[in-house]
Amino acid sequence: MVTTLGDKIRSLRKEKRLTLDQLAELTGSSKSYIWELENKTPPRPSAEKLSRIAEKLGVTIEYLLDKEATVSEENAEDAAFYRKYRRMDPATKAKLRSLVDIWEDDE
Amino acid sequence: MSDEALSPERWAFKLTHILNAVHGDGRDRFPVDVKAVAKEISNQLFPDDPVTRVKGASLPGFEGSLHKAPPGKKGWGIFYNSDITSPGRINFTLAHEFGHYLLHRLAHPDGIDCNARDIVRWESEYRQIEHQANVFAANLLMPLDDFRRSIGDQDKPGFEELGECARRYEVSLIAAALRWIQYTRRRAMLVLSRDEFVLWARSSKRAFRTRLYIKTADRPPVPVPPSALAARQHELDACRGSTRHAPGVWFPEDCEELVLFSDQYDFTISLLHFSDTVDSLEQDEEAEEDVSARYDKLLNR
């Protein structure tokens, strides 16, 4: 499952049973900064802050960062309106494509 | 005006009229069976290019999408994630994709070409068509005339009444509450919060006019007032509660706050009801509206 940076931080924080306040204190950020990362996924978060957050949550910074959002041309051709397109993992994309390709008529 | 140029609202009205005629006795009118409606109505209106498939499958992380049939096959298909546990969300997704079919398939016959060079333009266009599809879905699933028969525009509903409407239309409680806040003549506000910050807030027209609103876009996180019920989850009984606030808690005036905490989605919904007094500023605007409405009537005679 591909999830956003914010979702990852939030679920890891909850796994570790940390409140927003506690994670903010551990990483030297403000509570509202952590909340913004979790809920608004702001562009270009500070690498320094992210590495401290990753460290306290016991993961690598690479794990936290979203994969580069790219849409390959073959997909753009056969997909009309993908919602949350860039959040689908490759397995789901492949399954959807095969559904479209087969196109059985509904019973 | 050709059908293709209709706004999301007009498309929904058009379909609502058709469905009202079909279900003249009112039986089985709601919830709207989007699967059947998408196929049947598209087949009547656009027999050369209808929705021929509506198919659900286990598609983790996915909601729904609209696809043109592969070469040699006819029409369009709506695909959705059947793993989603909330029927209200599936129903809204289907209506949303049907909206894309009615509103956007001609402008995007091969899909939206998204390439890195043009990502900014694509982002804004994407947001706009998503919004239009949502407006269409809300209007199709929850026609205002029917909604008003359950909750009048002067009524002061709680989550029970809004929940009954959500069940009637098979939509989420949030979708039903947003629909009500659009038409109510009362001063009210919905505030969605998580971890004591506001995710988003929506005001009724009259609340907005009397300067009761919370802006969240493009600004630092807005904290929930510490004495608001939304910030006192431990005091809630069975994830819900209500209280009266003195002026100065949410806004400079007093209000009633109804709260519902959703464990599944980890957010808190606050429904704020304000007093029904009308201040002078608002009366001016209302008077203006009346004048322009009378003028419209004169012109249309």
Side-chain angles (χ1 to χ4, degrees), chain A residues 3 26 31 34 43 45 53 63 71 75-76 80 89 92 97 100:
Chain A
T3 50
L26 283 171
K31 182 177 172 183
I34 303 280
I53 290 167
Y63 170 81
V71 180
N75 280 345
D89 66 18
T92 299
R97 286 201 54 174
V100 175

Side-chain angles (χ1 to χ4, degrees), chain B residues 23-57:
Chain B
H23 300 273
D25 55 2
R27 281 177 47 203
D28 303 330
R29 172 67 178 90
F30 294 106
V32 174
D33 181 353
V34 182
K35 283 184 199 182
V37 168
K39 286 183 181 173
E40 287 164 18
I41 290 195
S42 67
N43 207 17
Q44 278 173 35
L45 299 172
F46 308 106
D48 298 334
D49 200 27
V51 173
T52 50
R53 309 205 56 203
V54 180
K55 187 145 184 70

Side-chain angles (χ1 to χ4, degrees), chain A residues 33-107:
Chain A
Y33 184 79
I34 303 280
W35 187 88
E36 200 165 18
L37 277 182
E38 288 186 3
N39 294 285
K40 302 273 174 173
T41 312
R44 294 178 298 282
S46 132
E48 181 212 351
K49 287 225 156 96
L50 274 189
S51 68
R52 292 171 83 170
I53 290 167
E55 185 197 341
K56 294 299 174 194
L57 294 175
V59 294
T60 62
I61 192 162
E62 290 76 21
Y63 170 81
L64 282 187
L65 285 170
D66 258 333
K67 289 190 190 69
E68 198 51 51
T70 53
V71 180
S72 69
E73 265 182 49
E74 58 168 0
N75 280 345
E77 270 169 37
D78 89 331
F81 305 108
Y82 275 132
R83 300 175 58 201
K84 299 188 181 168
Y85 186 92
R86 282 160 286 152
R87 302 205 29 202
M88 273 204 289
D89 66 18
T92 299
K93 270 185 202 176
K95 187 166 179 182
L96 181 63
R97 286 201 54 174
S98 71
L99 278 175
V100 175
D101 290 341
I102 297 164
W103 203 268
E104 296 154 332
D105 293 324
D106 284 4
E107 302 76 38

Side-chain angles (χ1 to χ4, degrees), chain B residues 86-135:
Chain B
S86 145
R89 262 183 67 194
I90 289 186
N91 209 29
F92 205 90
T93 293
L94 294 177
H96 175 108
E97 300 306 332
F98 184 39
H100 279 319
Y101 163 84
L102 292 170
L103 296 158
H104 306 129
R105 75 182 186 287
L106 296 171
H108 304 274
D110 305 312
I112 299 166
D113 187 17
C114 163
N115 57 48
R117 274 195 319 274
D118 215 8
I119 195 89
V120 172
R121 197 184 62 82
W122 188 81
E123 282 275 346
S124 71
E125 181 170 33
Y126 178 78
R127 261 200 298 274
Q128 191 189 359
I129 68 170
E130 286 296 289
H131 175 73
Q132 290 174 340
N134 286 336
V135 170

Side-chain angles (χ1 to χ4, degrees), chain B residues 1-15 99 102-104 131-133 135-137 139:
Chain B
M1 200 183 201
S2 74
D3 276 349
E4 286 73 30
L6 292 182
S7 70
E9 290 91 346
R10 299 294 312 169
W11 258 120
F13 292 155
K14 186 180 164 120
L15 268 49
L102 292 170
L103 296 158
H104 306 129
H131 175 73
Q132 290 174 340
V135 170
F136 169 82
N139 277 274

